[in-house]
């Protein structure tokens, strides 16, 4: 079984991030890969952390939340 890591950097996009996670659920249902998703919250001021935490135990894959307090895509990626 293939293991796949998906890393999503996000800044103030909690609604779109929720839709992205829902689409990953559809992918997992149709494939046999073992999937882990890491969400890097890049100093968001919206409900990103709360939304991710509400989904952690409800998804069919491992969901990891990482807070990056320094704004900027380079910081989020590193």
């Amino acid at each position: 079984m293939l293991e796949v890591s998906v890393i999503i950097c996000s800044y103030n996009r909690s609604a779109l991030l929720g839709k992205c996670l829902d689409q990953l659920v559809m992918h997992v249902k149709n494939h046999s890969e073992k999937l882990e998703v890491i969400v890097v919250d890049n100093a968001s001021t919206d409900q990103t952390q709360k939304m991710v935490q509400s989904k952690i135990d409800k998804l069919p894959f491992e969901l990891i939340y990482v807070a990056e307090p320094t704004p900027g895509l380079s910081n989020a990626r590193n």
Side-chain angles (χ1 to χ4, degrees):
M1 185 182 304
L2 179 65
E3 292 189 28
V4 177
S5 295
V6 176
I7 303 170
I8 303 169
C9 300
S10 183
Y11 173 73
N12 287 342
R13 299 282 188 263
S14 63
L16 290 174
L17 179 60
K19 290 178 184 181
C20 179
L21 294 173
D22 292 341
Q23 288 299 310
L24 286 170
V25 169
M26 298 304 295
H27 173 79
V28 170
K29 287 181 182 179
N30 297 322
H31 295 85
S32 61
E33 294 96 347
K34 181 177 181 210
L35 182 69
E36 75 172 353
V37 177
I38 301 167
V39 173
V40 181
D41 181 359
N42 192 216
S44 295
T45 57
D46 65 356
Q47 299 297 315
T48 298
Q49 181 178 7
K50 186 181 251 183
M51 186 279 300
V52 171
Q53 289 176 338
S54 74
K55 288 185 174 277
I56 283 179
D57 294 328
K58 298 175 185 171
L59 298 175
F61 49 77
E62 183 177 8
L63 179 59
I64 301 165
Y65 175 83
V66 177
E68 171 50 62
T70 307
L73 185 56
S74 296
N75 294 315
R77 287 181 177 166
N78 291 323

